[in-house]
Amino acid sequence: MPSYEQLRELLDPGHTVLLTVECQQGVVGPDSALPDLAREARSSGALRQVARLVAAAHETGVQVIHAIAERRPDGRGASRNARLFRAAERLPVQQLSGTTAVRVAPPIEVGEEDLVVRRLHGLSPIHGTDVDALLRNLGCRTLIVTGVSANVAIPNTVFDAVNLGYTAVVPADAIAGVPADYTPAMIRHTLALIATISTTDEVLGCLQRPRGRHPPGGLRPA
């Protein structure tokens, strides 16, 4: 874990962006196409933690980007080169453009200045989308990565962010995957090698407190 001072420096609101990954109703909502993942995202508290981070970002001026995966009703332009994509075509709930399934799921609130980036193909919310160009135009250096799933989209996002030169910060309690014990193992053995791992409370402590102070009982300068 980084010291408070190190994390605070990384999370300067002037160069930090918060990314939520596939926190949409058709993925983590009550009528999810992936009920096991939705159940884990909610029961673990990960979705609630994402909502807290988004609310804090709105309060402190940190830009929020919501990355949504969707498809056209005719499937045009969608990826079919992996078993995951072909299985998704047969699910009872489809992530169709313009439907409730591709709306950001409660309790996350979308702010007026939030950006919503939608993709019709692939595994990553960064590669092949507008996200990288938007981050550069926003002056982003640190990307906070939250959402689902720890199995595929989250590691893919972190890899892409690091390859593009961003520093990735992952609040471990604001991501979820299945089974439940896979997420901490993936964080420990994979993400911890390339990203700064923190908790939601630590990130909130850095974003919400005046510069030059550290939170009581929290991280301390090294």
Side-chain angles (χ1 to χ4, degrees):
M1 289 286 188
S3 71
Y4 171 71
E5 290 297 333
Q6 290 168 329
L7 189 61
R8 188 189 68 161
E9 184 177 352
L10 286 178
L11 296 176
D12 186 310
H15 63 238
T16 297
V17 172
L18 172 65
L19 179 68
T20 76
V21 178
E22 297 181 22
C23 292
Q24 56 203 73
Q25 295 201 40
V27 175
V28 296
D31 299 319
S32 169
L34 304 165
D36 290 343
L37 177 60
R39 191 177 305 113
E40 178 61 24
R42 291 177 175 276
S43 65
S44 69
L47 194 61
R48 182 173 64 254
Q49 302 290 38
V50 176
R52 292 178 66 206
L53 289 164
V54 169
H58 292 160
E59 293 172 1
T60 57
V62 170
Q63 179 67 53
V64 180
I65 298 179
H66 303 282
I68 302 295
E70 60 182 46
R71 59 185 284 119
R72 288 166 48 110
D74 60 8
R76 191 175 297 274
S79 307
R80 298 198 76 256
N81 57 336
R83 194 175 87 179
L84 175 66
F85 302 135
R86 297 190 294 274
E89 293 176 351
R90 302 190 295 272
L91 292 174
V93 177
Q94 295 289 305
Q95 314 298 318
L96 299 181
S97 302
T99 67
T100 301
V102 296
R103 294 178 186 169
V104 175
I108 299 169
E109 295 187 2
V110 180
E112 192 172 310
E113 295 185 352
D114 292 4
L115 299 172
V116 180
V117 177
R118 303 178 182 277
R119 77 178 195 273
L120 295 173
H121 64 89
L123 300 168
S124 172
I126 296 181
H127 180 74
T129 73
D130 290 336
V131 169
D132 180 38
L134 293 174
L135 293 177
R136 294 188 187 282
N137 290 344
L138 291 164
C140 176
R141 296 205 301 271
T142 300
L143 185 65
I144 305 172
V145 179
T146 66
V148 296
S149 73
N151 305 77
V152 178
I154 294 298
N156 203 151
T157 303
V158 174
F159 294 151
D160 284 351
V162 172
N163 284 334
L164 289 167
Y166 303 104
T167 296
V169 172
V170 180
D173 54 351
I175 66 171
V178 288
D181 58 0
Y182 176 75
T183 300
M186 187 275 301
I187 291 171
R188 179 179 179 183
H189 298 292
T190 302
L191 294 190
L193 303 177
I194 58 174
T196 297
I197 307 301
S198 66
T199 67
T200 294
D201 284 345
E202 289 167 355
V203 171
L204 293 177
C206 291
L207 294 182
Q208 294 176 328
R209 290 184 178 269
R211 314 306 283 178
R213 296 178 56 190
H214 57 72
L219 292 168
R220 294 291 189 271

